[in-house]
Amino acid sequence: MSGFLSPSQGLGEDGASLITVKSVNPGPDTLTKLVRRLRAMTLQLLPVEVEPEGLNEPTSRVITPQVIAAYRAAAGDFVEALPYCLLRARAEFMYDANHNPADYGENLGRAIACEVLARRIVHIAEPDRIATILSKRYQHRQIDGDESEMASALEVAIDQHCTIFLSSSESQDVVNQLWTGELVQKITSGHDNEYVRYEDIRENSFWGHLDVSRLSVPRYQNMFRILIWFAFLVVYSQAVREPLDRLDPNKTSFDGWEVVLYLYPFLSSSKFFKLLNFVTWRTFSFWNGVAFITDSLLLSAFVLRLMGIQGDPEQQVAFRMRSFQVLSFVAPFIWMKLVTVFDGYKYIGTMQICVARMLKESGIFFALLSVLGIGFAQGLYALDAADGSTESPAVIVHVLIQALLQAPDFSKYSLQPVALSLYYLWSAVTAIVLLNVLISLFSSAYADVVEDAEAQYLAFFAQKTVGMLRAPDSYVYPAPFNLVEVFFVAPFEMIPGLRLNEKRYAQVCLEISQPWKVPTYAATELNRIVMSTIFCIPLAAIALFESLRWNRQKPNSWMNHWFRGDDEGGDDSPANRNPTVDDPNCQGLQISKVPFEELITVFPNTQMSSEATIVKELDALKKQIEALTKMLEARQG
C-alpha cells in the first residue's frame, strides 16, 4: 500500500484522523495550485458519469477511506485549507457543468464528489481544529488574474448552497457557536474577519458577559429585529389611520407616527450599504429583496408627502392621497416579513425555502409571459388602429391581465372577429400552456426542497447566521437606534482633534479587556459608552442569561443536572458494555452472560459497501488459497 496510507499517516478502519493539521497562511497562488491539483485528481477519480446519489452514501464505493486519505496527502502541509480548496474546485466544476451541457452529468458528479470529500475531511479532522478549518478565510487567484475576496470554507459553502457540506454535524456545530456567540469575530484593520472563542478573551461571569459587543451576536440581533419589527407594525398601523383621524384638510403637516415611519427606510438603508461594501451579491436573499421593496415604497410615499406639503392647495390634496395610496402597498410586505419571526421552527423555515425557490423558478414563466404579452398587446393595438382611431394602451394591457387572471372580457372584441380570435388565442395560451408551466415549476421546486428538507433547512440556518456577521461591524446599532450613531458618533470621525489615535485606541481596548478587536471607526470609546447607556437593560439581561447558561454547561454543575438531567446511555464505556447486577432481589443473576465483544462479532461492517465487502472477502479467500498452495508445494517437494 502507498506510503500515505500507512498507519502512521492515514486512516484506520474507524476513520480516525492521525494527521495533525497546523495553522498556515498560504497565498492565493499557492491555493490556486492546490485547487488545480485537486481538480486533476477528481478528473482521474471520476472519468465517467456516475449517479450523484451514490457519492454521498456512507458506504460509497467511490468515496472510500483510501480516497479520502489520498486527497489529504495531496494537500501536503496545507491540510487545513483543503476543505476550502475542495469547495472552490466544486464551484469550478459546477461552472463547467453549466457552460458545457454535453458534459453536465460528468461535471455534476465531480462537483458533488468534491463537496462530499470536503465534508468527510472535516469530519476526520482534529476536534479542536474544526472551527479554525471552517472559519479561516483565504483567497485564490481568479481566472482573470485578480485575487478573489476573502472567504472561509463555511462562506464558500453558503454561497454555493452546499447542502451536503452544511448539513454535517461539524458545520452545524460551528454555525451554532456563531449563533450563540461562543465564537465571536475578530475584525482586522483590512475589514477581514477571524473567529475566536469568547471564553478565551473574557471571563465566564456576569461582568465578563456585560459587553456591548454581545449585541452583534446573531441570536440577539434576531431578537432585536423581531421586537423592532413588531414596534414598526404598530407605528405603520397608526400612520395609515392618519387620514381618518385628521379630517381637517388644512392640516397637512407630518404627525408623530409619520415621522417615525418615514425615518425607518433611511435608517435601514445602511444595511444595504454594508452588504454592497463588504459582501458579495450572493448574500442578498429573498428577504433582502422584500426589505428593499418595502423601503422603496416608503421612500416613494415620503417624497409624495413632501410634494403635497410644498404644493398649492389642490396639489396638496392630490399628492397626499397618492402618498397614502402608495403607503397602503407596504402592508403586504410588512406582514409577510412576520414569517421570519418563526423561521427557527423547521416547518416555517422549510416553507420559506419553498417560497423562495418557487419565486426563483417562476423566472422562466415571467420571461415567456413578457415576450408573449408584448406580442399579443402589439397585435391587438394594431387591430385597434386599423380603423384610424385607437384607445389608450392601458386598456389593452388591462384586458390582457384580466384574461391572465381567468376573468377575460370577450365582449370587448365581440364586433371585431379577428381581434376576438387573437384574444381567444391569448386566453388559451395563458390558461393552458403558461399556467401549467408555472404549476409544474412550482411542483418541481417544492418536491426538491421537501425531499431533502433536513439538509435544506440546515443550509438555510447557516446562511442566516453567517449573513448577520459578514458585514464587519464591531458595534451593531439596530434600527432605529443607528440614528444615534449617525448624528452623535459618526461626526467625531470628521473632527481631527477628537479622533482617537492608535495609542489611545489600544488603551481603550485594554481597558475593556478586548485586545483582540481592531477598530473600524476611531470613536470606539464613544461607541462603547453610548451603547452601554442605551442598551443597559438588554445588556444586563444578556449577561445574566449567558453567565447562568454557560455555567450550566459545566459537567459538575448542579444546575446542569436540574435543567437538563443526565444523558443516560450516552457513553460507550466498558461499564455499559458489560454491566453487572447489584440488585439484592436478583442474587446470582447476570446480564452479561455473553461478553459484549463476542456479541458484536456477528455484526456486519456497515462502514464498507457491499462491493468492498465482497472484494475484502475475495482477498481473504485468495490469501488462504495461496497459503494452501504453498503448503502443498512444500509437501510435494
Side-chain angles (χ1 to χ4, degrees):
M1 187 174 290
S2 301
F4 61 83
L5 293 178
S6 62
S8 62
Q9 291 182 336
L11 299 171
E13 292 185 358
D14 59 350
S17 172
L18 298 178
I19 303 178
T20 302
V21 295
K22 58 182 180 180
S23 295
V24 291
N25 190 24
D29 294 328
T30 302
L31 290 184
T32 302
K33 294 177 181 178
L34 179 54
V35 171
R36 292 174 180 173
R37 190 183 196 195
L38 297 174
R39 278 176 54 87
M41 291 183 63
T42 308
L43 289 171
Q44 292 295 320
L45 177 66
L46 296 173
V48 295
E49 183 176 352
V50 296
E51 289 294 331
E53 293 78 11
L55 294 172
N56 193 31
E57 294 178 354
T59 59
S60 173
R61 64 183 182 87
V62 179
I63 312 297
T64 62
Q66 291 76 18
V67 171
I68 297 173
Y71 272 82
R72 290 204 62 166
D77 294 328
F78 304 100
V79 180
E80 193 171 278
L82 186 55
Y84 171 84
C85 293
L86 282 169
L87 292 173
R88 283 301 318 159
R90 179 196 185 276
E92 295 183 9
F93 279 124
M94 287 304 302
Y95 179 88
D96 295 339
N98 294 326
H99 290 77
N100 187 6
D103 293 334
Y104 179 83
E106 291 89 336
N107 287 314
L108 177 63
R110 293 161 187 160
I112 294 177
C114 290
E115 183 180 352
V116 173
L117 283 165
R119 172 174 177 164
R120 302 286 173 81
I121 288 170
V122 172
H123 177 70
I124 61 179
E126 297 293 331
D128 58 340
R129 302 298 302 168
I130 289 177
T132 303
I133 292 173
L134 292 178
S135 62
K136 186 174 178 58
R137 310 184 91 204
Y138 302 98
Q139 287 179 298
H140 67 280
R141 185 73 61 183
Q142 295 177 332
I143 193 171
D144 58 357
D146 296 333
E147 294 182 359
S148 67
E149 296 180 352
M150 298 290 290
S152 63
L154 193 62
E155 291 171 334
V156 172
I158 290 172
D159 291 340
Q160 300 182 49
H161 195 66
C162 299
T163 56
I164 297 174
F165 184 85
L166 294 174
S167 61
S168 66
S169 58
E170 293 77 21
S171 297
Q172 287 301 310
D173 285 342
V174 174
V175 170
N176 286 324
Q177 290 174 17
L178 292 173
W179 175 259
T180 59
E182 296 177 41
L183 280 178
V184 293
Q185 63 177 352
K186 171 185 175 182
I187 305 174
T188 65
S189 57
H191 292 305
D192 187 23
N193 296 347
E194 295 179 4
Y195 293 96
V196 295
R197 293 193 176 276
Y198 189 75
E199 59 185 10
D200 294 339
I201 57 175
R202 298 298 294 263
E203 61 179 2
N204 188 21
S205 64
F206 175 82
W207 299 109
H209 291 275
L210 191 63
D211 179 15
V212 294
S213 67
R214 301 309 288 168
L215 293 176
S216 63
V217 173
R219 175 166 60 183
Y220 306 129
Q221 285 190 53
N222 190 57
M223 292 180 181
F224 272 103
R225 289 179 183 180
I226 292 172
L227 293 175
I228 292 171
W229 199 255
F230 276 115
F232 179 69
L233 275 176
V234 175
V235 172
Y236 175 80
S237 300
Q238 293 295 326
V240 294
R241 287 182 52 85
E242 192 265 350
L244 294 176
D245 295 338
R246 304 179 67 182
L247 299 179
D248 187 357
N250 296 323
K251 288 187 176 181
T252 57
S253 61
F254 290 101
D255 66 354
W257 296 110
E258 285 184 290
V259 171
V260 177
L261 176 68
Y262 291 130
L263 275 176
Y264 181 83
F266 292 101
L267 298 177
S268 62
S269 60
S270 61
K271 174 182 64 176
F272 296 104
F273 169 76
K274 290 178 181 179
L275 290 175
L276 288 171
N277 193 22
F278 298 114
V279 193
T280 64
W281 59 270
R282 298 182 181 87
T283 304
F284 287 89
S285 62
F286 169 72
W287 295 112
N288 292 131
V290 172
F292 180 77
I293 294 174
T294 304
D295 294 344
S296 300
L297 290 173
L298 288 172
L299 288 174
S300 301
F302 174 71
V303 171
L304 290 172
R305 193 78 170 88
L306 283 180
M307 294 173 64
I309 293 175
Q310 300 296 328
D312 55 51
E314 293 184 0
Q315 290 180 338
Q316 286 181 0
V317 176
F319 281 119
R320 185 165 176 263
M321 183 183 67
R322 294 294 184 188
S323 173
F324 282 97
Q325 286 177 341
V326 173
L327 194 61
S328 64
F329 277 90
V330 179
F333 297 99
I334 293 178
W335 287 97
M336 185 191 306
K337 196 76 179 287
L338 279 178
V339 178
T340 59
V341 174
F342 306 101
D343 60 7
Y345 297 97
K346 176 186 171 184
Y347 178 80
I348 303 298
T350 306
M351 183 185 68
Q352 286 190 46
I353 301 170
C354 289
V355 172
R357 183 72 65 85
M358 288 178 180
L359 293 176
K360 182 179 179 181
E361 295 291 341
S362 64
I364 299 175
F365 165 78
F366 286 108
L368 294 173
L369 179 64
S370 301
V371 174
L372 289 175
I374 293 173
F376 277 95
Q378 187 176 22
L380 290 174
Y381 181 81
L383 290 172
D384 188 32
D387 58 358
S389 63
T390 59
E391 295 180 327
S392 173
V395 175
I396 297 176
V397 174
H398 181 68
V399 171
L400 292 176
I401 293 175
Q402 279 185 325
L404 178 64
L405 299 177
Q406 306 300 305
D409 184 12
F410 295 109
S411 62
K412 174 69 177 176
Y413 300 104
S414 59
L415 300 178
Q416 304 179 35
V418 179
L420 185 61
S421 300
L422 192 61
Y423 193 55
Y424 279 145
L425 182 59
W426 164 257
S427 302
V429 169
T430 55
I432 298 175
V433 180
L434 289 183
L435 291 181
N436 281 287
V437 169
L438 182 62
I439 291 171
S440 63
L441 290 172
F442 281 179
S443 177
S444 176
Y446 180 81
D448 291 341
V449 173
V450 173
E451 184 180 358
D452 196 20
E454 292 283 351
Q456 292 286 348
Y457 176 72
L458 294 176
F460 162 76
F461 180 70
Q463 180 182 11
K464 176 181 178 179
T465 301
V466 176
M468 295 181 182
L469 299 171
R470 295 188 79 166
D473 198 350
S474 299
Y475 299 95
V476 177
Y477 287 85
F481 296 100
N482 52 353
L483 184 66
V484 177
E485 181 183 20
V486 172
F487 290 101
F488 295 99
V489 178
F492 287 93
E493 290 293 304
M494 305 177 184
I495 304 175
L498 296 179
R499 292 172 63 94
L500 293 179
N501 55 31
E502 296 294 331
K503 181 178 180 181
R504 176 56 183 151
Y505 182 81
Q507 181 181 354
V508 171
C509 289
L510 184 61
E511 289 174 359
I512 61 177
S513 302
Q514 291 180 331
W516 50 275
K517 277 194 172 183
V518 179
T520 51
Y521 299 102
T524 303
E525 186 178 17
L526 182 59
N527 260 315
R528 181 173 60 87
I529 295 173
V530 170
M531 294 191 72
S532 299
T533 304
I534 297 176
F535 301 106
C536 58
I537 296 178
L539 286 173
I542 291 173
L544 180 62
F545 168 75
E546 287 190 345
S547 60
L548 294 177
R549 175 180 172 273
W550 287 18
N551 284 329
R552 289 200 304 266
Q553 292 178 347
K554 294 181 179 180
N556 296 325
S557 174
W558 65 271
M559 294 187 68
N560 185 41
H561 299 294
W562 183 33
F563 280 99
R564 299 178 56 189
D566 295 327
D567 186 10
E568 297 290 346
D571 297 328
D572 187 18
S573 63
N576 292 337
R577 292 188 174 192
N578 293 302
T580 58
V581 177
D582 300 328
D583 192 346
N585 297 326
C586 302
Q587 293 292 340
L589 304 180
Q590 57 179 328
I591 296 176
S592 307
K593 285 187 175 182
V594 181
F596 181 85
E597 293 73 15
E598 184 179 344
L599 292 172
I600 63 174
T601 55
V602 297
F603 287 4
N605 188 357
T606 55
Q607 295 182 352
M608 300 178 64
S609 63
S610 56
E611 294 87 350
T613 303
I614 294 173
V615 171
K616 184 178 180 181
E617 293 177 353
L618 289 175
D619 288 340
L621 183 59
K622 181 179 178 180
K623 292 179 181 179
Q624 292 179 4
I625 293 175
E626 291 177 353
L628 289 174
T629 302
K630 291 181 181 179
M631 291 176 60
L632 291 175
E633 290 177 353
R635 289 184 180 182
Q636 291 176 358

